Amino acid sequence: MAELFMVEAINDGFHVELARDESVMVMGEDVGRAGGVFRATAGLRERFGESRCVDTPLAEAGILGTAVGLCMAGWRPVCEMQYDAFSYPCLDQLITHVGRYHWRTGGGMEFPLVVRMPYGGCVRAPELHDDSPEAYYVHTPGVKVAIPSTPADAKGLLAAAIRDPDPVVILEPKLIYRTERTEVPEGDHVVPLGKARLAREGSDLTLVAYGAMVPLCERAADALAGDASVEVLDLRTLKPLDEDALLASAAKTGRVVIVQEAPRTAGFGAEIAAILAEKAILDLHGPVLRVTGYDVPYPYWKIEDAYMPSVERVVDAARRLLEF
Amino acid sequence: MAELFMVEAINDGFHVELARDESVMVMGEDVGRAGGVFRATAGLRERFGESRCVDTPLAEAGILGTAVGLCMAGWRPVCEMQYDAFSYPCLDQLITHVGRYHWRTGGGMEFPLVVRMPYGGCVRAPELHDDSPEAYYVHTPGVKVAIPSTPADAKGLLAAAIRDPDPVVILEPKLIYRTERTEVPEGDHVVPLGKARLAREGSDLTLVAYGAMVPLCERAADALAGDASVEVLDLRTLKPLDEDALLASAAKTGRVVIVQEAPRTAGFGAEIAAILAEKAILDLHGPVLRVTGYDVPYPYWKIEDAYMPSVERVVDAARRLLEF
Amino acid sequence: MAIAQDQPDLRRVIDEEREVEGLGEQELIELYRRLVLLRTYDERSLVYHRQGRIGTYAIFWNHEAMQAGSVFALEDRDWVFPSYRESAIGLLRGIPASTILHWWRGHPAGWWNPAEHNVASIAVPIATHVPHAAGLAWGKKLKGEDAVAIAYFGDGATSEGAFHEGANFAAVMGAPLILFCNNNQWAISTPVAAQTRAETLAAKAAGYGMPGIRVDGTDVLAVYEATREAAERARSGGGPTFVEALSYRAAPHATADDPRAYIDMERVERERENECVGRYERYLRRLGVLGDDLVEEVKAEALDVMKRGIAEAEAEPEPDVGLLFEHAYANPPASFERDLAELRRILGGSVG
Amino acid sequence: MAIAQDQPDLRRVIDEEREVEGLGEQELIELYRRLVLLRTYDERSLVYHRQGRIGTYAIFWNHEAMQAGSVFALEDRDWVFPSYRESAIGLLRGIPASTILHWWRGHPAGWWNPAEHNVASIAVPIATHVPHAAGLAWGKKLKGEDAVAIAYFGDGATSEGAFHEGANFAAVMGAPLILFCNNNQWAISTPVAAQTRAETLAAKAAGYGMPGIRVDGTDVLAVYEATREAAERARSGGGPTFVEALSYRAAPHATADDPRAYIDMERVERERENECVGRYERYLRRLGVLGDDLVEEVKAEALDVMKRGIAEAEAEPEPDVGLLFEHAYANPPASFERDLAELRRILGGSVG
Ligand SMILES: Cc1ncc(C[n+]2csc(CCOP(=O)(O)OP(=O)(O)O)c2C)c(N)n1
Ligand SMILES: Cc1ncc(C[n+]2csc(CCOP(=O)(O)OP(=O)(O)O)c2C)c(N)n1
Ligand SMILES: [Mg+2]
Ligand SMILES: [Mg+2]
């Protein structure tokens, strides 16, 4: 197995999937000649030709809208949105069509497209390069949503999304695109959608997270190691959600802290808490806590560290819950 | 006091606000010559002139985008989106700019604009005339969200939104636009944002709702009258949320069922449940239940009654909770 | 200073008493059949609506020439992307009347599989289907299939960003697409003059580097000829064409709309007198290829299609609530079964 | 068949050795000062970035003529809507260099109040500020104020729906707006030929019923002249104008970008030899209004502005985390106080 950065694993995944299936194509802004602003699509245009790795005009709604039509012509397009906040122009196509067209055809046609984007904060960039828009996507019927936290999962979830018959949105935590090289299976590698990963076992408290918040929670678990045995659950797929894994961990530890970068109000963490409040109420030894970004525009980067959930904030919440 | 339908109360509110403040203007598709497809803006163009009640080109993002610029020129634009699902093209402007521009100017400029739209299901219409998109709006920092359930509140919340210095999205439950004429204060009438309304007092169980689900919950409360004393809390403003009223009711009854039309996953009801799971955990006598639309595209209308939360589904959830 | 614009005159055939090369008597009559079928669908639908047998309905009276004329210029392998205004265009591709009536009745039997007829689902939102058509046409080209796509949209739709992005993608990708703009001069209550300052909608074509053609939208032969030209260009690698078909919305926007508030009804009357089906009928009579008997036969035939259609539709049982959970996903989440089971329990197993 | 397009030749002044009526020696030199100020800002910023004193930075080298020339044609009451490519254009309106440097340093002191300088916030997303400019211009007109607005955007931006909707709104409302397109022929790695098939970007103007002007974007006087024309038209009720300023991105898109992968570096070299500041300097020398001493003085002056700017910026204390909760709302929810209190408690009252 090779040791790769997350973004290298994604690129590897693309090479495998485009070689495996001729109907897979990649499209987006600067994915071709430049190989993507993060190099996720590097080498694809050279290897598979410019019609399977397309530099599109600068129009996100046009990218996703034409992708719908490409599906109708038998393609499996993978659309890159250059950054999280630049995916908002495609929300209309996503909500109005991508999530409904299979339904609209009475199941007659499939729309196996993928929308992927680097997302999340703390990268010291100008505004609108740091958003965590997962809640918009998860709330939209007809689309699935995955968020990897390791290079291997980034490759495996991309493969699963490309092979899935339904539209899948993949949010890639750009903060950890190049933080650590870890082992990634070579060639075919699929991580099924809908299966969470127990990043760390524990018995006293569960930290539920996804994306860049997973390694953060692992650090928080280390910090708490002396006082408590902390479990870290990496959801990996937000929709369909691995409810069994969530409820099993809550039943085991009885204490849950949810960690998310996005603003708190109506964020995805609320859904996790709501599921626990409905289905785990008798298992809970205390309140369900959320450590999240604040309900404000993502800040200028000089103060972004204070906006982001930190080890300190997670530890603080965990201690409050343990002492409850 | 006059007795008015909700949509008549909204129209009355417009007449009062445009007469009160010369900087208030109305813009949207068919709001002028036709007075709005639901007649909410009837008579405004004739009375206040075509520059204060503007028929715009057919472009929702253009409507909201130019409204941002109109604010910079000192106007207080009220934008109509013709239907819920046709507001999706303006999500990009809303998330990218409307919610951030005041912040972006370091508080230097205000963006007192209002986006209002008829929303919600059960109106026997073709697809995309029935969505409940509130979660997208509530999750967006920098914007406030209100949803009236009575004619008087529809007028009063509109006035509050127009006078508020921040952007406010108002979702108007079109299902009850013309169901009942009730008393509406004449002239100036403001219902402050951020204050819930106790639609009905009770002691055993709380139904939390907003919009067209409020009268539905009242009917459910009637149906349960024999067996339990049911409280109905009408949130009225989803953001800022009247958390005190929510927690007070939960503390009083210990049992909460949340009712929402929108799909369940990551809907606004999840936020309510999450707040209870964090702040009312010791008050709860049982799980927090949600009765919602399903996680599917809003269906064709022959089966929409089965999609919508019904008195039967609310009563069923309430009984399960009472017997918990 | 205004940019001098190339203004192709409105293309006309009927007024010029021209004949369209390639169209024999048989084709001319087949075209007439199609016009009458659409007209009958529309007029009957209005009746069915008044009778409460279908829901809100978007009237396309006087738009038939644009729809029949353009589809007649295409091959069956070519894809049609209708808006709600072309809701019945599938009739010209073998979609049963009952299916389309179901769509307007809010019945899931109104679903069809676009791949079976090369007719996309009816687009309810404005303009967002234009990129779909561009993508399909581009995708077919990439696969080396010589199918063409046509997207129908209105004058108002040209104001939407989705139209712009779709048109530009089509041009950049050299997609075999026909952008067919039904300029009926109104978007509900908004006149085209409040929609754009362009001298013509076809003037937008230059901004995408594609040809723009203007045609009399109530002249079915002119529409046919213009569409055929655009289709030939598309098929031979010439890329997309913008066709502006000028007509007039001589009926309410939809059954819920009352145009008297905003339209000059006398103008409407004048337009109605010159409506597109009658114009063509008179032309064929002048040519001597159409007589009373055939007219009667064609109209009876069409009426029969509709009577059978509504009867079939009304014979269809009410849909089962289980359909709520079908087709949202090709492979649905486990939660759907639980939700449906609970719903059936509460409904006592039947949808009241 | 392609629609014949009206192709106004690129407007040029310097190459034609013309003089622009209305510009005296003083103005010509003031314009030179502005060019040099922008050039110096840009070149110093690259240095500061390499030194780690500012973050990622969008280079505008060889774009100065478009920015200085157009702003010089406006009144102070006219509104400027810059994109990230015009990040320092506020210098021409009295915004301190330190403020703009703060913006690139990710410091909230980079915020300014647009109303104080009639300069909108720097637009990071592509094209969505075009409707803002249209709305402001329209709103000023409605209030009877004779201010004009100018929106800056690139060639790539013309592909976005937001550009289309904003341009159309401006035309329909007769808004006094200048749509200033910086056609530097690249959108990061995407050449303009992959962005549109239009023969020129100005050809898009006809689709909105507005005039389109093409100008040499590296000729500051041609830009000035064209913008002045557009501003006069706008102010006198003639509505918006689309100005396509043709230039070339002779530097990386931004500090993070490596163009060698996609650009012909020899072409870049040729463009750099003909860069816009030097061109104008040589022109002024030929006219005899500029000599070595003045050149030195102007450059020293500009360098001094930047040195003071960065010094001021670096003297600014790190922002307090309390700013997180400020300005999200004019009247914020109660929860913000609780959140801030908790955050301060955890941070021990200070942001580490
Ligand atoms: C995105 C969107 N916005 C608004 C509407 C509501 N609406 C339905 S039809 C219509 C007018 C369309 O006019 P036009 O494009 O000229 O087509 P026509 O109806 O005249 O055929 C509007 C505004 C919609 N369906 N979709
Ligand atoms: C909506 C949106 N999509 C994508 C981006 C990422 N992006 C930043 S600059 C750029 C290219 C812009 O090219 P152009 O419009 O020609 O302007 P230029 O940079 O050449 O001045 C892109 C794609 C963005 N900022 N906003
Ligand atoms: Mg129309
Ligand atoms: Mg460019």
Side-chain angles (χ1 to χ4, degrees), chain B residues 9-21 44 47-48 52 155 159 162-163 185-189:
Chain B
I10 291 163
N11 182 253
D12 177 36
F14 269 125
H15 278 275
V16 172
E17 292 304 309
L18 266 76
R20 183 188 57 78
D21 181 348
L44 298 178
R47 179 171 170 196
F48 300 102
R52 289 186 62 200
K155 177 180 177 179
I162 288 173
R163 301 177 190 196
E186 269 148 49
D188 252 43
H189 170 57

Side-chain angles (χ1 to χ4, degrees), chain B residues 54-248:
Chain B
V54 184
D55 280 323
T56 65
L58 209 177
E60 293 73 18
I63 290 168
L64 191 52
T66 50
V68 168
L70 285 165
C71 290
M72 297 174 116
W75 290 93
R76 301 177 91 88
V78 183
C79 306
E80 172 170 304
M81 298 291 141
Q82 201 162 77
Y83 278 88
D84 32 61
F86 306 145
S87 71
Y88 299 140
C90 83
L91 277 171
D92 179 33
Q93 280 289 341
L94 189 94
I95 302 169
T96 302
H97 293 298
V98 171
R100 295 184 213 239
Y101 222 126
H102 175 68
W103 162 83
R104 197 176 276 150
T105 66
M109 297 188 91
E110 291 183 351
F111 295 82
L113 63 83
V114 177
V115 179
R116 50 168 289 280
M117 69 195 76
Y119 93 104
C122 244
V123 295
R124 305 292 186 254
E127 68 162 313
L128 297 164
H129 291 72
D130 310 273
D131 276 13
S132 294
E134 66 270 18
Y136 300 114
Y137 295 115
V138 172
H139 185 54
T140 302
V143 300
K144 301 170 177 176
V145 180
I147 302 184
S149 75
T150 68
D153 284 355
K155 177 180 177 179
L157 288 168
L158 175 63
I162 288 173
R163 301 177 190 196
D164 198 84
D166 295 310
V168 182
V169 176
I170 302 184
L171 296 149
E172 300 163 358
K174 67 174 94 76
L175 175 62
I176 54 173
Y177 257 167
R178 295 177 182 278
T179 44
E180 210 191 341
R181 281 202 165 93
T182 57
E183 291 208 329
V184 176
E186 269 148 49
D188 252 43
H189 170 57
V190 179
V191 172
L193 299 173
K195 293 258 160 290
R197 177 179 71 97
L198 208 52
R200 174 177 312 209
E201 288 217 35
S203 51
D204 300 333
L205 180 142
T206 305
L207 298 176
V208 178
Y210 46 90
M213 295 298 96
V214 172
L216 180 105
C217 287
E218 291 180 287
R219 292 204 300 283
D222 293 335
L224 288 158
D227 332 0
S229 155
V230 175
E231 181 147 301
V232 178
L233 184 66
D234 175 1
L235 294 177
R236 296 204 293 197
T237 306
L238 279 57
K239 202 171 81 179
L241 179 70
D242 190 344
E243 217 176 84
D244 298 343
L246 172 68
L247 294 174

Side-chain angles (χ1 to χ4, degrees), chain B residues 29-30 58 60 82 86 89, chain C residues 84-85 124-126 154-157 160 182 184 186-188 253:
Chain B
E29 294 154 12
D30 308 296
L58 209 177
E60 293 73 18
Q82 201 162 77
F86 306 145
Chain C
Y84 53 87
R85 190 67 70 202
V124 170
I126 302 301
D155 45 308
E160 289 277 10
N182 137 40
N184 62 11
W186 290 91
I188 305 185
H253 166 71

Side-chain angles (χ1 to χ4, degrees), chain C residues 277-332:
Chain C
V277 179
R279 263 183 93 187
Y280 185 58
E281 189 178 312
R282 291 190 295 276
Y283 170 87
L284 291 185
R285 286 177 183 271
R286 286 195 299 276
L287 275 185
V289 310
L290 189 70
D292 293 347
D293 304 358
L294 189 49
V295 168
E296 284 326 305
E297 178 202 313
V298 168
K299 288 185 173 168
E301 208 177 75
L303 196 58
D304 188 55
V305 168
M306 291 310 295
K307 288 204 170 124
R308 277 188 284 104
I310 192 73
E312 274 168 45
E314 290 176 336
E316 179 82 20
E318 290 295 299
D320 176 74
V321 299
L323 274 175
L324 275 179
F325 299 94
E326 271 173 47
H327 313 313
Y329 296 89
N331 83 46

